[in-house]
């Protein structure tokens, strides 16, 4: 027998990996910010890996062929608010374009098709849960009109959404709404569901008397059926548009109304919330006037509705003449200026021209919809709020782009689903492409080009080359290089810039290096880079033509520069690294005509970590004329994180602008000091602004405050608009990582959860599961979550399924598996599959630790047995050596033991 059994290599390998997992977990316990960073980093890494796999293995997506020209589409639907189903009849009139058509294919997702008829003989029709194929007896010749009628029934989980009291929504607010973009229209009516086909449309909806029906275009009739008591309301859109822009909203709604010229304007909300409509709606008329003047094209539709609906899937959706908005854009007047609907309203209104009047031909050119709407939202801010707010809006968009390492081009066919395109490339980066074009052309020439573009392609579809063609025609210059590097290649310039002064030659030297990682997707950029030198003798502006990897520029100046500003007008989308001396930064921070320069100076001081930097930031926090600069100063003091920075923040709470008061409170929250929570408590005594109070309540629960969790729980029952206080408290409780509040939180959700808005309930169940995940007994939490898995609200159902995965209780596996094994793919199926995977991954280390423990115990037992045997053998040997019968060892020999 071997005296010592070796540890198997497999066991050693597992031991090392499990210890690493354990130590990583111990190292992050209680460090909420670090944990959040790791989660974000892992999520971002996973997304990048997934994107890489998609890019390498995805078949390019191209514009589908248009075999037919759809002339008119009519939808007649009867929704059942109790069963949340819809019966419909869809009629499509079309003609083949160039070749005879034997089969007509229409998109129709997960519905029941009851019948298909046509004005030309039909041999048969086939439905496979995704498409309806209509086979004609004889091929339909080109230009011959045919009308096809389909009767259908659906219980849609996408495309059309019910919001009823049975689902937890307020009594008297029952309504439904539709969402077509990108490819959801097919879930409630059969259609050609791609953006390269336009047609006129008609929508008829039969609803109980007393309900409102709104749709595209103008209302042409409203008829009551005596037998059913329902009212049939018909709307017609007489100008062509695409299928994803067809919209229906029906239910108990109320409106505030206005008029721009002869165009009716209305802002609708669920009936119980109409008092909040004016705050969000008030700027629509002036915005419409601005867009008409700026674009040179009149508003193209018969009316303009904006409708706030419950639990919308996005911020807003720009259907022709009828925009649907999230109910979260509603706010009480006392929440201004912290809360505002201006940006959302302007963005969706701009879409009535960009996206609706002129529509991208396919999803690879989505930026022509979203980039324009994002840019013109910023231009509208300039018109209404001033140049500083425009510059701030473009800075915000630049930060959203420059913080990425992605090299995917804006125009990209490698997406898997159309929704993959709805990200930073289409929105902020697209807006910056337009801003650079406008900066290079000048406002007047740019405006003329955009007017030409809209007029030429009105009621049609476009791709990126259409815009380039108009720009070249109007300006007379080539835009090949610009479009190639900014739209067909990815990423952006990363510029490292150094500046020096030669007093002998009276020359300023500027060195520009492009340091972005070059690849087939990421080029060396050619950009005109403005530089401003402020001297005692005046201002010198120079544009540097950056074309290479490293370039030196020499600029004659009348005197040494007091300040050097790179791209002072903010006209180039580039990540710029430039570190001017502190004396320049101080002067830059005092220039009230340069808001971006002041913010850049604040950022630079925030990286300097010195007492002088703290004093400079304290001054900006208390004296800068613009709220945004003051707020940035508060954030910079938080990043310095010194005693002096904390003192500067505590001395600066008395701010006239509530946005800055919030920034200061948030800055204090970045320090692990109970004094911040004490200051927040004092702030609450006199603060009247609801959003500042929210920030103070969040700070009350700071981890540095003993007993802060219990104090936070006491705020859960405080009534507030949309239960924002409860939502804020739930978020902070999660960050505190205090499981002692689990019983109180569970009781609150059991008693009041059903009355909370859906998003707040979702935060509640997620927080509950997170705090209880390490508890020994999870039964009560698991039972509560299981009781909510069949909630009729899809968003909440997904939140509960995800929470079961977070909780990590193996007894939840059967429930999750019942959703994961559903025959039809759905968001709930994907959420439950992900939850199961997380639960199994979390169980695996525990199971492996148990196996490891047993093997170690076996080793210990074997070692004890071995020691006992050795000891027994030793005793036996010793006794034999000392026994009289044992002969003595031979002379000169040693006894070996």
């Amino acid at each position: 027998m071997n005296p010592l059994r070796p540890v198997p290599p497999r066991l050693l390998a597992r031991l090392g990996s499990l210890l690493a997992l354990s130590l990583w977990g111990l190292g992050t316990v209680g460090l909420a910010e670090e944990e959040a960073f790791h989660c974000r980093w892992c999520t971002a890494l996973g997304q990048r890996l997934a994107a890489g796999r998609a890019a390498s293995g995805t078949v390019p997506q191209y514009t589908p062929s248009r075999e037919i020209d759809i002339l008119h589409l009519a939808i007649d639907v009867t929704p059942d608010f109790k069963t949340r189903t819809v019966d419909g009849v869809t009629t499509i009139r079309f003609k083949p374009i160039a070749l005879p058509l034997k089969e007509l294919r229409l998109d129709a997702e997960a519905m029941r098709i009851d019948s298909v008829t046509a004005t030309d003989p039909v041999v048969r029709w086939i439905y496979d849960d995704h498409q309806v194929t209509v086979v004609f007896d004889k091929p339909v010749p080109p230009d011959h009109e045919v009308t096809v009628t389909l009767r259908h029934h659906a219980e849609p989980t996408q495309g059309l959404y019910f919001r009823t009291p049975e689902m937890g929504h307020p009594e008297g607010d029952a309504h439904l709404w539709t969402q077509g973009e990108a490819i959801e229209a097919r879930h409630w009516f059969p259609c050609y569901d791609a953006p390269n086909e336009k047609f006129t449309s008609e929508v008829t909806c039969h609803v109980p008397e007393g309900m409102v029906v709104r749709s595209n275009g103008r209302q042409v009739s409203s008829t009551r059926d005596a037998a059913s008591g329902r009212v049939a309301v018909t709307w017609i859109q007489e100008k062509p548009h695409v299928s994803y822009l067809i919209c229906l909203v029906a239910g108990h709604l109320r409106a505030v109304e206005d008029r721009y010229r002869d165009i009716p304007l209305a802002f609708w909300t669920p009936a119980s919330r109409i008092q909040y409509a004016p705050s969000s709606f008030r700027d629509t008329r002036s915005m419409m006037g601005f867009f008409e003047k700026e674009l040179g094209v009149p508003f193209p539709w018969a009316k303009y509705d904006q409708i706030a609906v419950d639990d919308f899937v996005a911020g807003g959706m720009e259907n022709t003449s009828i925009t649907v908005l999230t109910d979260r854009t509603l706010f009480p007047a006392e929440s201004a200026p912290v809360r505002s609907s201006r940006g959302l309203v302007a963005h969706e209104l701009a879409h009535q021209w960009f996206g609706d009047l002129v529509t991208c031909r396919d999803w690879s050119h989505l930026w022509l919809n979203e980039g324009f709407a994002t840019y013109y939202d910023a231009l509208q801010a300039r018109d209404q709020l001033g140049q500083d707010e425009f510059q701030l809006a473009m800075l915000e968009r630049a930060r959203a782009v420059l913080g990425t390492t992605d090299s995917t081009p804006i125009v990209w066919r490698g997406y898997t689903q159309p929704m993959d395109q709805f990200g930073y490339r289409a929105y902020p980066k697209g807006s910056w492409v337009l801003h650079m074009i406008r900066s290079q052309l000048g406002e007047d020439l740019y405006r003329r080009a955009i007017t030409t573009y809209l007029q030429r392609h009105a009621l049609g579809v476009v791709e990126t080359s259409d815009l380039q063609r108009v720009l070249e025609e109007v300006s007379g210059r080539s835009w090949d290089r610009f479009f190639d590097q900014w739209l067909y290649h990815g990423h952006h310039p990363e510029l490292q810039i150094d500046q020096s002064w030669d007093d002998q030659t009276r020359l300023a030297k500027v060195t520009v290096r492009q340091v972005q990682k070059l690849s087939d997707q990421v080029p060396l950029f050619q950009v005109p880079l403005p530089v401003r030198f402020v001297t005692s003798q005046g201002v010198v502006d120079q544009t540097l033509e950056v074309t290479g990897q490293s370039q030196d520029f020499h600029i004659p100046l009348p005197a040494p520069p007091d300040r050097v500003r790179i791209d002072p007008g903010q006209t180039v989308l580039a990540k710029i690294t430039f570190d001017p001396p502190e004396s320049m930064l101080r002067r830059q921070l005092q220039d009230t005509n340069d808001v971006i320069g002041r913010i850049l100076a604040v950022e630079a001081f925030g990286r300097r970590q010195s007492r002088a930097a703290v004093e400079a930031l304290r001054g900006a926090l208390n004296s800068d004329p613009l709220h945004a600069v003051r707020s940035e100063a508060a954030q910079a003091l938080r990043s310095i994180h010194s005693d002096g920075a904390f003192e500067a923040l505590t001395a600066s709470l008395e701010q006239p602008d509530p946005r800055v008061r919030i920034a200061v409170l948030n800055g204090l929250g970045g320090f692990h000091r109970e004094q911040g929570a004490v200051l927040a408590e004092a702030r609450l005594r006199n603060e009247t602004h609801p959003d500042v109070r929210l920030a103070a309540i969040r700070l009350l629960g700071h981890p540095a405050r003993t007993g802060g969790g219990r104090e936070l729980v006491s705020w859960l029952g405080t009534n507030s608009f949309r239960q924002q206080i409860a939502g804020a408290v739930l978020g902070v409780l999660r960050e505190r990582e205090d499981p002692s509040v689990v019983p109180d939180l569970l009781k609150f959700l059991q008693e009041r959860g059903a009355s909370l808005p859906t998003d707040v309930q979702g935060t509640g169940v997620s927080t509950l599961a997170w705090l209880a995940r390490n508890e020994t007994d999870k039964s009560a939490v698991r039972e509560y979550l299981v009781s909510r898995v069949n909630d009729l609200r899809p968003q909440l159902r997904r939140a509960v399924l995800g929470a079961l995965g977070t909780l990590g209780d193996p007894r939840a596996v059967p429930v999750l598996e019942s959703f994961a094994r559903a025959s039809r793919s759905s968001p709930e199926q994907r959420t439950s599959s992900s939850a199961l995977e997380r639960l199994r991954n979390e169980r695996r280390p525990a199971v492996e630790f148990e196996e490891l423990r047993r093997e170690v115990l076996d080793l210990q037992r074997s070692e004890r047995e071995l020691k006992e045997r050795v000891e027994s053998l030793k005793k036996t040997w010793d006794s034999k050596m000392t026994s009289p019968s044992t002969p003595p060892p031979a002379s000169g020999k040693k006894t070996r033991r």
Side-chain angles (χ1 to χ4, degrees), residues 721-785:
F721 178 72
R722 290 197 82 255
Q723 301 303 321
Q724 289 168 346
I725 289 178
V729 168
L730 290 168
V732 178
L733 286 174
R734 180 184 176 109
E735 294 172 5
R736 280 187 60 86
E737 292 273 7
D738 181 2
S740 69
V741 304
V742 166
D744 292 330
L745 178 54
L746 177 60
K747 181 180 179 183
F748 170 75
L749 291 173
Q750 288 171 331
E751 294 178 352
R752 292 199 52 190
S755 65
L756 299 174
T758 304
D759 57 316
V760 179
Q761 283 195 64
T763 302
V765 297
S766 299
T767 297
L768 178 65
W770 179 259
L771 295 178
R773 72 194 188 283
N774 294 320
E775 294 295 279
T776 303
D777 184 3
K778 305 176 184 180
S779 301
V781 173
R782 185 193 72 255
E783 289 168 4
Y784 170 71
L785 293 175

Side-chain angles (χ1 to χ4, degrees), residues 496 511-514 524 546-553:
Q496 288 187 354
T511 299
V512 182
R513 299 179 184 86
Q514 291 198 52
L524 272 176
V546 177
T547 59
Q549 200 152 12
S550 181
Q551 293 172 269
D552 292 332
F553 300 90

